[in-house]
């Protein structure tokens, strides 16, 4: 009688020993595949896939509660992000979830609204639910969160903004801003002998943030390199709020009498706010202005004016962060992932675009 028929006839729950016999592997190999540690055990991916298929066919369901009690593991992994309604942070969350599921882990993601008090409350809650590790994205107070995680012996890694007491994975913000600034300031060289104003401005973010500080440094360096006199009013640090960005761009345009010749917008939320002002402007207002945004949204393809965008590689960032966790790295090293300059009228085809 086939093994599958024997399992059904016994009318009992399938065990890892049954799966080991059917798949021709050992119970320890099956266990490693089921608990997500097969990569650490250097088990072949084809073997893991075969075992998962056998488990699915025979309706195997691991007893997660018993496994958690036996191994002090919950099977849950946590991530905090500032907000959900931002394409970059949403893409970080999507990648985090997909990588967790590839490891048979249950992902839990919560937004903190950039509130340091809420960050602490959520991290404490995740610790109480015994998450196995924590990804911290865009934290306002990374030191306080590291202290909490350290006291709970919880492995953690910072993403987007670095921390001082744990490993971090960030975008190479300086290089990304350098590439973008060169693009939006290049047309100014051809305009210098005309009556058109050629000043380029940086708008959005907080200068005290690591990412924004790196971008401002690159912006300043490129503007100065072009032989232009850099002035402090070219940096407008108005935060990330769309409403504040809308107010800031209106004040700037009223002050100089037109759109600036070059404009670097520091995030998608800033871009959103600026668009609420741009939507009221005629098409000719953009003829002598070059716009860039440090983040990517495909809908910019359909605007009446071209926008140069920097796409942060969220999936690569998350993959590198998982590697740090799995290698049990605790030193506060920083890994920088290169961003990509996306030309106007171009739609990037992401890894998860087929999901639906």
């Amino acid at each position: 009688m086939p093994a599958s028929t024997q399992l059904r006839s016994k009318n009992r729950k399938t065990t890892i020993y049954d799966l080991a016999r059917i798949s021709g592997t050992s119970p320890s190999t099956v266990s490693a595949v089921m608990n997500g540690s097969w990569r650490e055990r250097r088990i072949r991916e084809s073997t893991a896939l075969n075992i998962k298929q056998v488990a699915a066919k025979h309706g195997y369901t691991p007893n997660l509660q018993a496994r958690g009690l036996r191994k002090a593991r919950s099977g849950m992994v946590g991530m905090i992000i500032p907000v959900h309604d931002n394409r970059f942070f949403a893409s970080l969350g999507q990648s985090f979830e997909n990588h967790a599921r590839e490891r048979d882990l249950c992902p839990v993601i919560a937004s903190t609204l950039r509130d340091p008090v809420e960050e602490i409350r959520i991290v404490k809650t995740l610790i109480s639910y015994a998450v196995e590790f924590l990804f911290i994205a865009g934290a306002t107070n990374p030191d306080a969160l590291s202290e909490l995680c350290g006291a709970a012996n919880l492995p953690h890694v910072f993403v987007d903004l670095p921390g001082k007491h744990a490993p971090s994975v960030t975008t190479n913000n300086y290089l990304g801003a350098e590439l973008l600034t060169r693009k939006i300031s290049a047309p100014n060289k051809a305009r210098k002998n005309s009556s058109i104003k050629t000043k380029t401005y940086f708008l959005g973010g907080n200068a005290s943030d690591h990412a924004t500080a790196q971008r401002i440094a690159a912006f300043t360096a490129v503007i100065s390199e072009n032989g232009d006199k850099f002035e402090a009013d070219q940096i407008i640090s108005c935060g990330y709020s769309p409403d504040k960005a809308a107010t800031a761009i209106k004040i700037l345009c009223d002050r100089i009498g037109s759109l600036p010749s070059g404009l670097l917008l520091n995030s998608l939320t800033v871009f959103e706010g600026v668009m609420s002002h741009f939507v009221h402007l005629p098409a000719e207002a953009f003829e002598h202005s070059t716009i860039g945004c440090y983040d990517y949204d495909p809908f910019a393809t359909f605007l009446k004016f071209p926008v140069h965008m920097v796409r942060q590689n969220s999936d690569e960032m998350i993959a590198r962060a998982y590697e740090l966790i799995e290698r049990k790295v605790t030193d506060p090293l920083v890994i920088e992932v290169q961003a990509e300059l996306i030309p106007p009228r171009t739609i990037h085809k992401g890894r998860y675009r087929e999901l639906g």
Side-chain angles (χ1 to χ4, degrees):
M1 183 181 297
S4 59
T5 304
Q6 291 176 1
L7 290 178
R8 287 195 299 270
S9 64
K10 290 179 181 178
N11 194 27
R12 61 176 176 79
K13 186 176 179 180
T14 305
T15 69
I16 62 171
Y17 301 99
D18 298 321
L19 298 183
R21 185 172 63 254
I22 297 168
S23 63
T25 59
S26 67
S28 64
T29 299
V30 173
S31 178
V33 171
M34 292 294 102
N35 67 31
S37 64
W38 58 274
R39 288 183 178 84
E40 299 172 19
R41 291 270 309 277
R42 300 183 183 277
I43 295 171
R44 291 181 179 178
E45 187 172 358
S46 59
T47 301
L49 179 60
N50 178 51
I51 291 173
K52 289 179 182 180
Q53 290 173 341
V54 171
K57 180 179 179 180
H58 295 287
Y60 174 78
T61 304
N63 187 333
L64 296 179
Q65 184 178 26
R67 187 178 78 183
L69 292 172
R70 184 170 61 255
K71 296 187 176 182
R73 294 182 61 188
S74 64
M76 295 189 298
V77 291
M79 180 179 194
I80 64 170
I81 59 176
V83 291
H84 289 286
D85 62 344
N86 173 289
R87 181 172 289 274
F88 171 61
F89 289 117
S91 64
L92 282 178
Q94 181 68 69
S95 293
F96 174 78
E97 287 194 349
N98 280 279
H99 281 272
R101 291 190 176 100
E102 288 175 1
R103 293 160 171 79
D104 294 320
L105 297 169
C106 178
V108 180
I109 302 176
S111 66
T112 63
L113 306 178
R114 298 189 189 276
D115 181 345
V117 175
E118 187 67 3
E119 287 176 356
I120 290 175
R121 187 188 72 83
I122 290 175
V123 170
K124 284 182 176 179
T125 301
L126 292 173
I127 289 173
S128 72
Y129 278 91
V131 293
E132 297 186 20
F133 56 80
L134 179 65
F135 281 26
I136 301 171
T140 62
N141 191 351
D143 290 353
L145 301 185
S146 267
E147 185 176 350
L148 284 174
C149 293
N153 198 28
L154 176 64
H156 59 291
V157 60
F158 291 97
V159 181
D160 181 42
L161 296 179
K164 297 177 183 176
H165 305 292
S168 305
V169 181
T170 72
T171 294
N172 188 330
N173 287 287
Y174 189 97
L175 179 58
E178 180 183 18
L179 294 172
L180 188 57
T181 305
R182 291 189 191 284
K183 279 293 181 183
I184 64 174
S185 62
N188 288 348
K189 295 180 180 180
R191 298 168 181 159
K192 282 189 175 180
N193 295 326
S194 70
S195 60
I196 301 169
K197 297 177 181 178
T198 62
K199 217 170 183 181
T200 301
Y201 291 83
F202 180 107
L203 191 148
N206 301 312
S208 59
D209 289 347
H210 173 84
T212 298
Q214 290 291 304
R215 297 170 191 175
I216 288 175
F219 175 86
T220 305
V222 172
I223 296 301
S224 301
E225 175 188 296
N226 287 342
D228 297 328
K229 180 183 177 183
F230 178 79
E231 298 177 354
D233 70 347
Q234 289 176 256
I235 305 296
I236 305 171
S237 298
C238 59
Y240 298 98
S241 161
D243 289 342
K244 290 182 179 179
T247 299
I249 190 62
K250 184 178 185 309
I251 292 172
L252 175 62
C253 291
D254 288 346
R255 178 163 62 84
I256 65 177
S258 66
L259 280 176
S261 178
L263 181 64
L264 192 160
L265 304 172
N266 192 35
S267 74
L268 283 175
T269 52
V270 171
F271 184 73
E272 177 186 337
V274 167
M275 280 301 302
S276 68
H277 177 69
F278 282 1
V279 73
H280 301 294
L281 301 179
E284 55 268 25
F286 300 91
E287 290 179 358
H288 303 295
S289 185
T290 307
I291 312 297
C293 178
Y294 201 109
D295 257 332
Y296 171 74
D297 193 308
F299 290 105
T301 299
F302 301 99
L303 296 175
K304 59 187 175 183
F305 56 92
V307 182
H308 300 270
M309 309 193 93
V310 166
R311 187 188 73 85
Q312 302 185 72
N313 193 336
S314 57
D315 192 59
E316 176 67 15
M317 293 169 72
I318 292 296
R320 299 297 296 275
Y322 268 98
E323 288 176 9
L324 291 170
I325 289 291
E326 289 168 348
R327 286 166 43 205
K328 296 181 170 54
V329 176
T330 58
D331 295 334
L333 57 84
V334 177
I335 294 175
E336 291 188 324
V337 174
Q338 186 166 336
E340 179 183 5
L341 189 64
I342 306 294
R345 316 299 188 200
T346 302
I347 294 181
H348 171 76
K349 296 181 180 180
R351 177 182 175 187
Y352 303 114
R353 70 193 306 265
E354 300 301 329
L355 296 179

